[in-house]
Amino acid sequence: MRVVAVPFSTTAMMRAVEMVPDRVHGANAVFADVRARLDALTWGAWLPSVAKLTTPAPTLRQHVHSWLRDRSGYLAVHGDPGWVAKLPIGQLAPDRQLPRVPPRGVVATAYDCHAFGELPEVAVATLFSMGLTSRPVRREATSDPTPVWGTAKAVEFVVAWPGVAELSPATGRCPICDEAVWGHDCAFCRVRAIPGPAVPVTAQPAGTPPPATAPHLASLSTAGGATQ
């Protein structure tokens, strides 16, 4: 099994998998769709303290303030480069707004946000100032946030466009598993794909059982594991 290190938490990974449309099937197709959705997500967490947070990196001043036990806490958002802010935020920098242009093929009018736990109101208010237009959907936490955020009290959130992104046609096929391939190599067999005409992603015939994609998705190693 091939292990691909991706800088995402288990929660962000799960949300991306949930968004894959039923008509996308085949290991490489699901893999490519999940990776594309992960790249389009905005994910982060509310933290009561950043004393043990490493990524994104808090400032020295934020570390010191963590020892004061301020109930407002912090908002940390992963990305390139990612950022950490003490709450409440007075003026939000333009580069900390949610992306205003959806990915190609996405049709949506508003952001979709899921919070895995109870976000404090000060954190919800900051998400609104970032561009969110409706309250986050509250869900139960699905994993321990400590490996990613440094504290079990972190409340993760994932923001995405709810529309269905059209997966671009495949560029070839794997000579071993005969799966459609996006890019140069098969994500699982680790061999060079046979170039060929674009292979469209087609829906399964009615009544076809869903593919067992879980073993393939398990090959994505999250930030909550050893590959952080």
Side-chain angles (χ1 to χ4, degrees), residues 134-154:
S134 60
R135 292 187 64 84
V137 176
R138 187 188 184 284
R139 300 173 57 172
E140 294 301 318
T142 57
S143 61
D144 179 11
T146 305
V148 179
W149 302 105
T151 172
K153 296 181 179 180

Side-chain angles (χ1 to χ4, degrees), residues 156-193:
E156 291 190 275
F157 60 86
V158 180
V159 183
W161 283 85
V164 176
E166 294 293 335
L167 189 63
S168 61
T171 54
R173 285 195 176 277
C174 175
I176 295 179
C177 66
D178 198 39
E179 287 273 1
V181 172
W182 283 257
H184 299 295
D185 302 326
C186 176
F188 304 101
C189 299
R190 291 198 261 185
V191 298
R192 183 58 59 96

Side-chain angles (χ1 to χ4, degrees), residues 5-192:
V6 290
F8 296 94
S9 70
T10 301
T11 299
M13 178 75 70
M14 182 194 72
R15 185 68 190 119
V17 171
E18 290 176 343
M19 296 174 67
V20 176
D22 292 338
R23 58 185 173 72
V24 175
H25 64 96
N28 277 316
V30 173
F31 183 90
D33 196 283
V34 169
R35 289 300 296 264
R37 291 176 189 279
L38 285 170
D39 289 341
L41 294 180
T42 296
W43 63 286
W46 171 84
L47 311 170
S49 167
V50 294
K52 295 184 179 181
L53 178 65
T54 57
T55 306
T59 65
L60 178 59
R61 180 169 182 159
Q62 289 169 341
H63 264 297
V64 173
H65 273 286
S66 287
W67 296 103
L68 301 179
R69 297 184 179 180
D70 189 326
R71 293 184 179 180
S72 296
Y74 300 80
L75 199 73
V77 177
H78 266 271
D80 186 13
W83 52 275
V84 180
K86 180 78 178 66
L87 297 176
I89 299 176
Q91 184 71 30
L92 193 69
D95 61 350
R96 295 183 176 182
Q97 297 283 342
L98 293 172
R100 305 303 300 176
V101 180
R104 181 177 63 84
V106 174
V107 179
T109 58
Y111 294 103
D112 171 81
C113 180
H114 287 216
F116 295 81
E118 189 67 42
L119 280 174
E121 284 302 313
V122 65
V124 175
T126 302
L127 288 173
F128 274 115
S129 67
M130 291 169 62
L132 198 65
T133 56
S134 60
R135 292 187 64 84
V137 176
R138 187 188 184 284
R139 300 173 57 172
E140 294 301 318
T142 57
S143 61
D144 179 11
T146 305
V148 179
W149 302 105
T151 172
K153 296 181 179 180
V155 179
E156 291 190 275
F157 60 86
V158 180
V159 183
W161 283 85
V164 176
E166 294 293 335
L167 189 63
S168 61
T171 54
R173 285 195 176 277
C174 175
I176 295 179
C177 66
D178 198 39
E179 287 273 1
V181 172
W182 283 257
H184 299 295
D185 302 326
C186 176
F188 304 101
C189 299
R190 291 198 261 185
V191 298
R192 183 58 59 96

